[in-house]
Amino acid sequence: MRNKQSGFTLVEIAIVLVIIGLLLGGVLKGQELITQAKIKNVSNDLNGIVAAVYSYQDRYKRLPGDDPGATRWPLITAAGNGDNVIGGSYASTDDTAESRLFWGEMRLSGFVAGQTDTLAHANAQPLNAAGGIMGVQSGGMGLSGTIVCSGSLPAKIAQALDSQMDDGNAKTGTVRALKETTPPTAVGTSDPTEDYVDNGTNLYVLCKNI
């Protein structure tokens, strides 16, 4: 008497494959939605900072971070020198640097949200949706004047932002980007020499003029 062998029918296998396909499609779609949300969030942050700087200048007639009158807030005991240049790098950890005082003055004036219980908290650079810091400095990547930078951006997000706001090329235009160092340091004055490379590991610091 022969034993009956059990197994999957072609119909059952087809159903399993369809279910797996639907699950994979859902995961990929979910990842794409998350990426798009991050792109929108970072874009809104950059544009929001630009608008907030203009509002600060309209109220106090000074560039935040460089404002010699910032001692109007007791938390700030050493203000900027008023030369219309923000000293220090976007990634500075020095609370006396104008690029850090920028955030303290923006928070204390109410134009940017954040803690103001201590100078270190007030001056801390905010984080973007990708977990990198946002910061300001004077010039960088061939851009002149005050620039706002957003770091630790995956290539896909950085290039999408560049395409939305400029020409999609890291080396040219009013929005530029460099492969980020670890830890982040100052952005140099030279033009970027490489375009975006999406290899799954590259992170970029993207900067634009205020």
Side-chain angles (χ1 to χ4, degrees):
M1 185 173 179
R2 298 179 64 183
N3 292 329
K4 207 171 183 183
Q5 292 184 340
S6 60
F8 294 109
T9 66
L10 289 176
V11 173
E12 290 171 331
I13 292 173
I15 292 172
V16 170
L17 290 175
V18 169
I19 292 172
I20 291 173
L22 290 172
L23 289 172
L24 288 174
V27 169
L28 293 175
K29 184 62 177 177
Q31 290 176 335
E32 180 62 24
L33 289 173
I34 291 171
T35 298
Q36 290 301 319
K38 288 181 178 179
I39 292 168
K40 184 175 181 180
N41 192 301
V42 175
S43 177
N44 288 342
D45 285 344
L46 290 170
N47 292 329
I49 292 303
V50 173
V53 169
Y54 289 148
S55 296
Y56 186 100
Q57 290 179 307
D58 184 59
R59 180 182 297 178
Y60 299 109
K61 314 304 178 188
R62 292 288 185 174
L63 183 64
D66 181 57
D67 184 358
T71 50
R72 65 177 70 87
W73 297 291
L75 198 64
I76 297 178
T77 57
N81 59 17
D83 64 354
N84 290 318
V85 175
I86 294 181
S89 76
Y90 84 99
S92 175
T93 57
D94 179 4
D95 279 329
T96 66
E98 291 183 347
S99 58
R100 290 267 292 183
L101 287 169
F102 173 93
W103 296 106
E105 293 167 21
M106 292 290 275
R107 288 189 174 108
L108 289 164
S109 62
F111 291 117
V112 169
Q115 287 182 265
T116 56
D117 54 334
T118 67
L119 185 62
H121 285 159
N123 284 357
Q125 293 98 330
L127 299 181
N128 60 33
I133 63 170
M134 292 183 64
V136 297
Q137 66 178 61
S138 287
M141 300 191 203
L143 300 172
S144 59
T146 304
I147 61 174
V148 57
C149 302
S150 192
S152 299
L153 300 175
K156 186 174 184 178
I157 292 177
Q159 188 166 28
L161 287 164
D162 198 330
S163 297
Q164 283 183 10
M165 297 184 287
D166 193 31
D167 60 2
N169 190 322
K171 301 181 290 182
T172 61
T174 58
V175 176
R176 302 183 184 186
L178 283 171
K179 193 155 51 171
E180 189 174 73
T181 58
T182 304
T185 57
V187 169
T189 58
S190 301
D191 292 7
T193 58
E194 297 180 9
D195 204 357
Y196 303 103
V197 177
D198 188 5
N199 60 4
T201 59
N202 284 350
L203 297 177
Y204 291 84
V205 52
L206 178 144
C207 301
K208 70 184 294 288
N209 281 111
I210 288 181

